[in-house]
C-alpha cells in the first residue's frame, strides 16, 4: 500500500486496540454486517456490472439480486502486528478474503492507493466499535445467536450425520471384513513401530509380514501399480484404461506416475531408489493419496505405506489398503484408525466454513462438511431445511471469539515485575508485553491449542525462536495465558554492554 492507505490501516488497528487481543501477534477481531445496498448505489459504483446490466434501474435491480443474492453478508475484520509488519484481513470465512499489509516480500516499491476502500471502512469500524464498547456482552450474544452457521466451525457425531444425510455414508461390500482388516493394520503398525534398530524379531511369531531389507524402484513400482490401478479403475480417462495393458510395473509407473523421470537410475539399487523417491513420487493422481516406501518403522527396515489426506478419497483408500494387506506386503496404513471410526460410526465429522481441502485430521476424524446459508436450503445440490436444522441441533459448535475491553491493570499487580521501575501509571497487558519485549529484546508468544478456539497454553518465544519450555496449562482467554507467561519469566542475567538477556 501507499503511505496514505497504510496510515488508514493503522487507524483501523488503533480503533480496535480498545479490545483485548484474541490471539498472538496482537490480533483483534470484530464481525461486520454489510447490507447488500440498493440498485441506485450499485449503479453509481465503478464496478463490472455494466457488462450485464442495462442502463435502466429495473435492470440494475435484477442484476444486483443475481450477483449478490443475500440481503446481508457477514465479514470478520482482524488486525495484527508481527515484528515490523502490520496486517488487516477481511474475510467471510468461506471463500472471500483480502489482506492489506506493509510487508514487502520481493523488495520492490509499491504504491497501491486503497484509500477509496479504507476510508469508508475506517468510518464503519469506528462506528461499530463505538456501539460494541457501550455493551460488549450484547455484541457477544448477538454473534452467538445470529452469526450464520455457514460461517461457523463445529463437530457432529458421524452416527447422527449418517442418519441425517444417509447418502453420505461410506458403503462397502463386506463391512465386517474391512473392519477386521483395519483393526489388524492398527495392530501391525504398533508392532512395526515398537521395533528398535538392530533388534532381532521373529516376524512370524509377531503375526506380521517381515519387512524388506532393501527397497528398489522395481519393487516399489509393483505396489504403486497395485494401488494406482484401483484408484483409476472407474475412471473415464482413456489413458487410465490403456495403462492397464502395460505388462512391466516400471513401464506402468513411467507412463502413469507423477514423478516418472527414472532416466538411467538402477532399478534394483537402494541408493538409486532414494534418489528417485522425492517430491510426489507416490501420489495417486492429484489426490494427495500416497503410496510410499519407508524406513521409519521396523528398526530401519523397509515398509510399504499408504496415507490419504482428503476425506473425499476414503472409499478408494479403503479399497487400496485392503488390496495391499492381501498382497502380503509389510504394510502400514496411516489412516486405519480413521477408517475404522468411519466404518463403525464411532468418530466425528468436522463442520467447517471452508472445505476446499477436506483433510482428515485426528484419530476420530471422519472428514469435513459445511452447511449452507439458510437462504440456500432446498436448492438443487444443497441440504434440505430439515437436514440443516437437524445438523444445527445435533452438532457441537465451537465458541465464537469474545470481545472484551482491554482494561488497565492496577499498579500493584505482580505482572509489572519485569518493568516495575519504569511504570508510574497503570497500563494494559498489551502495553506491558510490548515494554518487556523492547527492554529485553525478546518476543513473548502464546500458542493456541489446536482445534479449540479460545483455549490456550503458554509457550515462550525467546529472541524470536521457540523455546522448548511449554506448559500444558489451559486458559480461557489470550490475556490470561499471556499474563501467566509473563509471571513465569525470571531474568537470570542481563549484560548491559551487548544488551543480551537470559
Amino acid at each position: 500500500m501507499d503511505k496514505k492507505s497504510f496510515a488508514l490501516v493503522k487507524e483501523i488497528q488503533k480503533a480496535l486496540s480498545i479490545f483485548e487481543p484474541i490471539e498472538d501477534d496482537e490480533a483483534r477481531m470484530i464481525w461486520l454486517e454489510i447490507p447488500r445496498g440498493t440498485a441506485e448505489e450499485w449503479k453509481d459504483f465503478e464496478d463490472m456490472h455494466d457488462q450485464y446490466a442495462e442502463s435502466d434501474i429495473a435492470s440494475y435491480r435484477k442484476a444486483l439480486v443475481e450477483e449478490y443474492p443475500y440481503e446481508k453478508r457477514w465479514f470478520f475484520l482482524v488486525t495484527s502486528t508481527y515484528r515490523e509488519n502490520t496486517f488487516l484481513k477481511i474475510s467471510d470465512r468461506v471463500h472471500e478474503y483480502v489482506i492489506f499489509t506493509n510487508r514487502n516480500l520481493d523488495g520492490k516499491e509499491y504504491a497501491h492507493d486503497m484509500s477509496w476502500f479504507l476510508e469508508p471502512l475506517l468510518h464503519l469500524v469506528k462506528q461499530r466499535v463505538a456501539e460494541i464498547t457501550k455493551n460488549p456482552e450484547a455484541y457477544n450474544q448477538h454473534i452467538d445467536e445470529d452469526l450464520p452457521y455457514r460461517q461457523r466451525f463445529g463437530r457432529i457425531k458421524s452416527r447422527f450425520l449418517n442418519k441425517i444425510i444417509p447418502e453420505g455414508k461410506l458403503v462397502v461390500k463386506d463391512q465386517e471384513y474391512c473392519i477386521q482388516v483395519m483393526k489388524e493394520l492398527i495392530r501391525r503398525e504398533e508392532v512395526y513401530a515398537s521395533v528398535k534398530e538392530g533388534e532381532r524379531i521373529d516376524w512370524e511369531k509377531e503375526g506380521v509380514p517381515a519387512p524388506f531389507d532393501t527397497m528398489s524402484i522395481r519393487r516399489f513400482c509393483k505396489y504403486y501399480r497395485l494401488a494406482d490401478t484401483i484408484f483409476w479403475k472407474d475412471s473415464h480417462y482413456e489413458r487410465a484404461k490403456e495403462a492397464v495393458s502395460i505388462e512391466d510395473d516400471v513401464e506402468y509407473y513411467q507412463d502413469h506416475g507423477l514423478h516418472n523421470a527414472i532416466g538411467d537410475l538402477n532399478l534394483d539399487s537402494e541408493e538409486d531408489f532414494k534418489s528417485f523417491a522425492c517430491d510426489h513420487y507416490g501420489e495417486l493422481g492429484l489426490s494427495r493419496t500416497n503410496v510410499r516406501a519407508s524406513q521409519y518403522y521396523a528398526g530401519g527396515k523397509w515398509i510399504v505405506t499408504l496415507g490419504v489426506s482428503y476425506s473425499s478419497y476414503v472409499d478408494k483408500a479403503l479399497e487400496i489398503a485392503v488390496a495391499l494387506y492381501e498382497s502380503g506386503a509389510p504394510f502400514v496404513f496411516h489412516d486405519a484408525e480413521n477408517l475404522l471410526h468411519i466404518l463403525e460410526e464411532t468418530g466425528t465429522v468436522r463442520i467447517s466454513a471452508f472445505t476446499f481441502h477436506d483433510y482428515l485430521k485426528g484419530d476420530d476424524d471422519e472428514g469435513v462438511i459445511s452447511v449452507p446459508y439458510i437462504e440456500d436450503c432446498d436448492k438443487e445440490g444443497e441440504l434440505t431445511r430439515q437436514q440443516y436444522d437437524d445438523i444445527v441441533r445435533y452438532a457441537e459448535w465451537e465458541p465464537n471469539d469474545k470481545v472484551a475491553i482491554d482494561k488497565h491493570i492496577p499498579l500493584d499487580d505482580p505482572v509489572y515485575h519485569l518493568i516495575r521501575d519504569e511504570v508510574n501509571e497503570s497500563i494494559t497487558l498489551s502495553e506491558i508485553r510490548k515494554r518487556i519485549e523492547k527492554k529485553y529484546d525478546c518476543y513473548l508468544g502464546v500458542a493456541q491449542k489446536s482445534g479449540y478456539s479460545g483455549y490456550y497454553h503458554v509457550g515462550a518465544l525467546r529472541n524470536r525462536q521457540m523455546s522448548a519450555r511449554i506448559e500444558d496449562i489451559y486458559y480461557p482467554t489470550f490475556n490470561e495465558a499471556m499474563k501467566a507467561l509473563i509471571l513465569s519469566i525470571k531474568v537470570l542475567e542481563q549484560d548491559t554492554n551487548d544488551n543480551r538477556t537470559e
Side-chain angles (χ1 to χ4, degrees):
M1 299 174 292
D2 62 7
K3 291 182 179 180
K4 180 180 179 181
S5 301
F6 182 61
L8 289 167
V9 168
K10 296 296 287 185
E11 282 295 307
I12 293 172
Q13 186 178 43
K14 182 180 178 180
L16 294 185
S17 66
I18 192 172
F19 302 124
E20 287 185 3
I22 59 167
E23 57 185 45
D24 219 351
D25 298 329
E26 291 293 309
R28 293 173 171 86
M29 186 196 83
I30 60 171
W31 282 96
L32 299 174
E33 298 163 73
I34 310 297
R36 177 169 56 197
T38 66
E40 290 80 2
E41 290 170 329
W42 193 42
K43 188 174 186 295
D44 291 337
F45 185 73
E46 294 182 6
D47 201 351
M48 296 176 64
H49 47 56
D50 288 340
Q51 63 181 320
Y52 54 83
E54 302 294 335
S55 58
D56 62 286
I57 198 66
S59 175
Y60 270 98
R61 289 194 184 100
K62 182 175 181 295
L64 176 64
V65 174
E66 291 175 352
E67 182 72 10
Y68 301 99
Y70 309 109
E71 293 185 2
K72 179 176 66 176
R73 294 284 301 279
W74 291 68
F75 292 87
F76 76 80
L77 179 149
V78 58
T79 62
S80 61
T81 296
Y82 179 68
R83 301 184 184 179
E84 65 277 4
N85 302 309
T86 298
F87 301 88
L88 167 64
K89 179 179 179 180
I90 306 168
S91 174
D92 65 353
R93 272 189 178 170
V94 182
H95 293 300
E96 297 180 9
Y97 72 90
V98 61
I99 297 176
F100 301 91
T101 180
N102 64 320
R103 187 180 186 190
N104 193 331
L105 294 178
D106 58 15
K108 296 179 181 178
E109 291 294 329
Y110 294 96
H112 296 303
D113 181 7
M114 296 299 298
S115 59
W116 62 271
F117 175 77
L118 293 169
E119 283 179 347
L121 179 63
L122 174 60
H123 175 75
L124 177 63
V125 169
K126 285 183 174 180
Q127 183 182 55
R128 190 70 177 117
V129 168
E131 295 169 355
I132 295 171
T133 52
K134 292 178 182 177
N135 193 340
E137 287 308 312
Y139 165 84
N140 291 329
Q141 183 177 354
H142 172 51
I143 301 303
D144 285 342
E145 294 176 354
D146 299 324
L147 180 67
Y149 285 96
R150 177 67 183 89
Q151 294 168 266
R152 301 192 192 207
F153 298 89
R155 301 181 80 87
I156 184 170
K157 293 181 178 179
S158 59
R159 67 175 185 272
F160 293 153
L161 186 64
N162 288 338
K163 291 179 181 178
I164 297 169
I165 314 176
E167 61 271 22
K169 182 179 178 180
L170 178 64
V171 178
V172 297
K173 291 182 181 179
D174 192 342
Q175 181 159 320
E176 285 305 314
Y177 175 67
C178 290
I179 288 173
Q180 291 306 313
V181 170
M182 293 305 105
K183 289 180 178 179
E184 174 61 15
L185 288 175
I186 292 170
R187 185 192 73 83
R188 290 186 180 186
E189 181 174 7
E190 291 173 350
V191 173
Y192 288 131
S194 67
V195 178
K196 298 179 176 59
E197 186 173 357
E199 185 178 0
R200 299 187 60 147
I201 299 294
D202 185 338
W203 300 106
E204 186 175 352
K205 183 178 179 181
E206 294 292 339
V208 300
F212 299 120
D213 292 326
T214 64
M215 181 55 60
S216 66
I217 296 172
R218 194 187 307 280
R219 174 172 279 165
F220 169 77
C221 287
K222 171 185 175 180
Y223 297 105
Y224 177 89
R225 178 175 187 166
L226 189 156
D228 195 61
T229 51
I230 293 173
F231 184 84
W232 289 103
K233 71 175 184 177
D234 300 320
S235 171
H236 62 277
Y237 291 110
E238 289 299 323
R239 182 165 172 257
K241 296 176 182 177
E242 294 171 359
V244 176
S245 63
I246 300 174
E247 293 185 5
D248 184 76
D249 296 334
V250 177
E251 289 182 18
Y252 176 92
Y253 183 88
Q254 288 180 299
D255 181 80
H256 223 57
L258 290 182
H259 176 56
N260 51 20
I262 294 176
D264 297 329
L265 294 175
N266 186 330
L267 301 181
D268 299 304
S269 163
E270 182 171 302
E271 289 304 313
D272 281 12
F273 171 76
K274 291 179 179 179
S275 299
F276 155 85
C278 61
D279 201 14
H280 297 266
Y281 79 99
E283 187 174 356
L284 309 177
L286 294 172
S287 65
R288 296 298 189 271
T289 301
N290 288 276
V291 177
R292 294 192 174 104
S294 172
Q295 287 182 291
Y296 178 78
Y297 297 91
K301 293 182 180 293
W302 289 95
I303 299 288
V304 177
T305 68
L306 172 69
V308 54
S309 293
Y310 296 161
S311 60
S312 54
Y313 290 106
V314 294
D315 53 344
K316 290 288 186 183
L318 177 62
E319 193 174 353
I320 292 168
V322 171
L324 288 171
Y325 166 80
E326 291 176 342
S327 75
F331 169 56
V332 164
F333 182 29
H334 296 306
D335 299 286
E337 193 164 354
N338 292 87
L339 266 293
L340 181 61
H341 283 298
I342 291 173
L343 292 167
E344 295 186 325
E345 298 182 273
T346 54
T348 60
V349 175
R350 282 176 293 118
I351 304 172
S352 175
F354 183 68
T355 59
F356 177 72
H357 290 301
D358 55 337
Y359 291 114
L360 287 170
K361 297 179 179 178
D363 293 336
D364 66 343
D365 186 13
E366 299 185 17
V368 59
I369 64 165
S370 60
V371 296
Y373 288 105
I374 199 168
E375 298 94 331
D376 293 331
C377 289
D378 297 311
K379 292 182 179 178
E380 184 178 356
E382 294 288 0
L383 300 178
T384 66
R385 179 58 190 270
Q386 184 62 55
Q387 289 173 320
Y388 172 93
D389 288 341
D390 288 343
I391 290 174
V392 169
R393 182 183 305 113
Y394 288 107
E396 298 177 7
W397 296 98
E398 290 185 13
N400 296 302
D401 291 309
K402 304 296 183 184
V403 162
I405 303 299
D406 200 9
K407 298 178 181 178
H408 285 215
I409 297 177
L411 277 173
D412 59 354
D413 194 292
V415 76
Y416 288 97
H417 74 107
L418 295 172
I419 54 170
R420 177 69 64 191
D421 297 337
E422 304 173 14
V423 181
N424 298 318
E425 57 184 17
S426 64
I427 54 179
T428 65
L429 187 67
S430 297
E431 184 60 31
I432 293 173
R433 173 191 178 182
K434 291 176 185 176
R435 294 196 184 190
I436 293 171
E437 291 178 337
K438 183 177 180 180
K439 179 178 179 179
Y440 296 101
D441 189 28
C442 65
Y443 180 74
L444 306 181
V446 172
Q448 187 176 13
K449 181 184 178 185
S450 177
Y452 293 90
S453 178
Y455 293 85
Y456 302 86
H457 66 272
V458 169
L461 293 173
R462 296 173 51 194
N463 299 320
R464 308 190 187 280
Q465 298 296 322
M466 176 62 79
S467 166
R469 181 171 58 84
I470 297 179
E471 298 178 43
D472 194 21
I473 304 173
Y474 298 94
Y475 301 89
T477 68
F478 174 86
N479 261 15
E480 289 183 56
M482 177 54 66
K483 184 175 181 180
L485 173 58
I486 292 172
L487 290 172
S488 73
I489 294 173
K490 294 180 176 63
V491 178
L492 303 180
E493 179 183 349
Q494 182 172 14
D495 189 335
T496 56
N497 293 324
D498 59 12
N499 199 32
R500 290 186 302 176
T501 302
E502 182 178 357

